[in-house]
């Protein structure tokens, strides 16, 4: 971009020089037409220079605003999925199941405590000499609504599948398991392509954004939380947008 700006500035400088030369050496009858044409060219190149700087700035403002709104939704989706796994042992395969789960599910509140009891088998083995053993007792103290725990009085979970600002468009989501050391581990992934979020923007800038590799940017061509190929539930965005863990 810097090279483009320098090139346009150089052309403007050359054009101004031509205006001076025309004024100095061209016959009087031709001067008005040539000078006017050159000033129009200067104005056009000045506009191009301005837009080459202004468009990326505006693009970044729009991008960051849309990314922030999307990431808020993806964090809600992740929190809901983690609750689903905690209660059921697996991730929800679709948004319909996930919303229904939040509406109806409850966390079980438990308390673990250690206790000492008589080990009847060892007591019998040692001829009636009382022998004890340590055990852990889990007491159920009650239940709490998943909805109240995660979302309080908000009903935003009912629309968390919708991409904010794009009516009718939804996040992609899938869930399943990965085999690791003969153990099936639940995984899920929710995502949206950058091209969807930036469909009304300059496509050259969108193509550049899809190639981003930076600690301060959202790498790749999509905003993603979780993974279907790795055991992780974090997002691919930097902390400037919100908690990615």
């Amino acid at each position: 971009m810097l090279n483009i700006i320098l090139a346009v500035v150089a052309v403007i400088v050359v054009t101004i020089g031509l205006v001076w030369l025309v004024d100095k050496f061209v016959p009087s009858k031709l001067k008005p037409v040539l000078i006017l044409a050159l000033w129009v060219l200067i104005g056009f190149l000045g506009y191009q220079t301005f837009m080459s700087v202004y468009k990326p700035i505006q693009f970044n403002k729009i991008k960051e605003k849309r990314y922030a709104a999307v990431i808020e939704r993806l964090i809600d989706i992740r929190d809901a999925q983690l609750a689903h796994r905690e209660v059921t042992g697996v991730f929800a395969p679709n948004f319909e199941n996930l919303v229904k789960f939040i509406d109806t599910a409850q966390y079980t509140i438990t308390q673990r405590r250690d206790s000492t009891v008589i080990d009847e088998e060892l007591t019998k083995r040692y001829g009636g000499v009382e022998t004890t053993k340590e055990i852990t007792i889990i007491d159920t103290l009650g239940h709490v609504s998943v909805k109240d725990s995660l979302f309080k009085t908000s009903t935003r979970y009912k629309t968390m599948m919708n991409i904010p600002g794009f009516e009718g468009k939804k996040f992609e989501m899938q869930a399943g398991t990965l085999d690791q050391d003969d153990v099936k581990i639940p995984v899920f992934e929710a995502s949206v392509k950058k091209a969807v979020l930036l469909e009304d923007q300059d496509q050259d800038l969108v193509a550049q954004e899809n190639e981003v590799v930076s600690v301060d940017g959202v790498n790749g061509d999509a905003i993603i939380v979780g993974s279907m190929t790795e055991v992780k539930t974090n997002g691919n965005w930097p902390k400037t947008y919100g908690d990615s863990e």
Side-chain angles (χ1 to χ4, degrees), residues 97-108:
N97 287 14
L98 190 57
V99 170
K100 183 178 180 180
F101 164 80
I102 295 169
D103 272 329
T104 60
Q106 294 183 323
Y107 289 118
T108 300

Side-chain angles (χ1 to χ4, degrees), residues 139-181:
D139 297 320
T140 298
L141 302 180
H143 299 84
V144 61
S145 164
V146 170
K147 178 174 64 176
D148 292 343
S149 179
L150 292 182
F151 299 101
K152 309 302 182 191
T153 59
S154 173
T155 59
R156 68 182 189 275
Y157 68 92
K158 293 184 178 181
T159 58
M160 63 185 172
M161 70 292 295
N162 299 327
I163 299 173
F166 294 85
E167 187 175 351
K169 294 187 178 181
K170 302 180 184 298
F171 292 102
E172 296 180 6
M173 189 175 76
Q174 52 187 321
T177 58
L178 282 181
D179 289 332
Q180 286 195 353
D181 300 324

Side-chain angles (χ1 to χ4, degrees), residues 3 111 132 137 145 148 187 201 244:
N3 291 337
Q111 174 181 278
T132 60
I137 299 174
S145 164
D148 292 343
V187 293
Q201 299 300 300
S244 62

Side-chain angles (χ1 to χ4, degrees), residues 17-90:
L18 289 173
V19 170
W20 180 82
L21 290 173
V22 167
D23 185 58
K24 192 79 172 174
F25 300 107
V26 172
S28 299
K29 291 183 179 181
L30 296 176
K31 281 183 181 180
V33 176
L34 288 176
I35 290 176
L36 177 62
L38 288 172
W39 279 116
V40 169
L41 179 60
I42 289 172
F44 172 75
L45 292 174
Y47 172 78
Q48 291 295 100
T49 302
F50 171 77
M51 290 304 295
S52 67
V53 176
Y54 178 76
K55 284 174 67 175
I57 291 174
Q58 290 301 108
F59 174 82
N60 284 331
K61 286 182 178 179
I62 292 169
K63 175 195 74 176
E64 289 172 6
K65 182 178 179 180
R66 293 179 184 180
Y67 283 11
V70 161
I71 287 167
E72 285 184 4
R73 294 278 174 95
L74 289 175
I75 290 174
D76 278 346
I77 292 170
R78 177 182 59 197
D79 290 345
Q81 281 284 30
L82 289 174
H84 192 283
R85 184 187 63 180
E86 182 177 342
V87 174
T88 69
V90 296

Side-chain angles (χ1 to χ4, degrees), residues 71 75 78 224-226 233-239 241-245:
I71 287 167
I75 290 174
R78 177 182 59 197
I224 305 169
V225 65
T233 58
N234 59 303
N236 68 331
W237 54 85
K239 289 187 176 180
Y241 285 105
D243 185 10
S244 62
E245 299 297 328

